[in-house]
Amino acid sequence: HVAAVAPYREAARRSVEHSRRRRRAAEAVYGRAHAAAPERDVRSALATALATCPPAPGLRAPREDGAWIADVHPDVARRAVEEADRILAGSLRPFTNRSLSFGWPIAWRTDWVSGREWRLEHFTRLETFHWDDSDIRRVWELNRLQHTVALGRAWAVTGDERYPEAFARHLAAWREANPVEMGPNWSNAMEAGIRISNLVTAWHLMREAPAVESAREFLVRAAIEHGRFIADNLEVSHRVTSNHYL
């Protein structure tokens, strides 16, 4: 009995999903993107102190712990600083252990191998696959913003304000180039989840830095937008619920 009704359940789910996606596209074009952060939520969040759980037991006090690491494990601290300095110079390491020069401003929607740039259109209408040597996974990997955590590690061991300043600059540039629900970097919930996890971790590491405090509203808006987008686009179906859903 269950096997007999399964195709009908999946067909019904797909119909509902299709209608929802059409509605989200219309909202973005003719009004306001569904995942856009409501001003009341932004103001409410800004009115209270931001708090996060430490991303690891040893990171409850990043500067204090970072000073201990620099003293006891200088090689670890040196590698953290070298990585962050490469980021300041415009070199990142998405999908590779080899540093690649992205310069500034970073082309957030471009596959750096093929040179293809994905258009800034609503994610429900976006073509993610093309019959050439482009690969949107390279774009997604860059936009997971894992390098912001590297900046946080370097600040923790040095207190050098260049790293939180770069974090704030990258966050502002990313949000300007990737309006909520628009472009390849809003095409699935898993990527949004990984990205906001990295941003929150980076914020936790550098939260005492003045530059990060000045970027607080940017981070609050990003967190609300990512949360709303993820909740509205869970990657689940009757047939398969994969690592994307988790």
Side-chain angles (χ1 to χ4, degrees):
H1 175 71
V2 173
V5 301
Y8 299 100
R9 291 173 58 188
E10 181 64 14
R13 187 199 67 81
R14 287 176 179 246
S15 178
V16 171
E17 174 66 8
H18 179 69
S19 297
R20 185 190 65 80
R21 289 171 69 88
R22 290 186 63 183
R23 187 167 64 253
R24 294 294 179 254
E27 289 171 350
V29 172
Y30 298 111
R32 178 182 175 85
H34 176 79
E39 284 301 313
R40 67 180 182 278
D41 292 350
V42 174
R43 296 306 153 198
S44 175
L46 290 174
T48 57
L50 291 181
T52 62
C53 295
L59 293 175
R60 292 187 175 88
R63 278 295 292 124
E64 180 181 334
D65 295 334
W68 180 85
I69 291 171
D71 181 50
V72 178
H73 302 287
D75 286 346
V76 174
R78 176 181 54 78
R79 289 196 297 271
V81 169
E82 289 175 351
E83 178 72 9
D85 285 347
R86 283 193 290 267
I87 295 168
L88 295 185
S91 293
L92 305 176
R93 297 193 299 168
F95 261 158
T96 178
N97 286 324
R98 181 167 53 90
S99 291
L100 303 172
S101 179
F102 284 85
W104 188 263
I106 294 172
W108 298 107
R109 301 192 308 274
T110 300
D111 171 7
W112 68 87
V113 174
S114 68
R116 172 177 286 279
E117 180 180 19
W118 269 260
R119 292 183 295 181
L120 197 62
E121 58 185 348
H122 196 259
F123 76 97
T124 58
R125 299 173 176 175
L126 192 74
E127 291 289 339
T128 58
F129 177 78
H130 296 276
W131 292 99
D132 56 19
D133 60 348
S134 64
D135 190 336
I136 197 170
R137 291 175 299 178
R138 287 190 283 261
V139 178
W140 289 342
E141 182 74 12
L142 170 65
N143 286 271
R144 289 177 175 183
L145 303 184
Q146 296 174 103
H147 68 277
T148 61
V149 178
L151 293 171
R153 289 196 297 264
W155 185 81
V157 299
T158 66
D160 190 329
E161 291 297 325
R162 293 179 302 156
Y163 306 128
E165 287 169 0
F167 169 74
R169 186 167 61 252
H170 282 224
L171 176 59
W174 189 90
R175 293 197 72 248
E176 182 178 357
N178 297 275
V180 63
E181 294 189 6
M182 303 296 289
N185 298 311
W186 290 100
S187 54
N188 71 70
M190 185 185 77
E191 294 301 324
I194 293 172
R195 180 166 53 248
I196 195 60
S197 296
N198 284 323
L199 288 176
V200 169
T201 300
W203 177 83
H204 175 84
L205 289 168
M206 297 182 281
R207 66 188 186 277
E208 298 175 2
V212 171
E213 177 60 27
S214 69
R216 189 164 169 244
E217 182 169 343
F218 274 113
L219 183 64
V220 165
R221 287 186 184 277
I224 293 173
E225 289 169 354
H226 280 68
R228 287 171 64 88
F229 179 82
I230 293 166
D232 196 49
N233 293 278
L234 294 177
E235 298 177 71
V236 59
S237 74
H238 173 71
R239 287 184 177 178
V240 59
T241 301
S242 67
N243 62 312
H244 283 222
Y245 178 73
L246 296 176

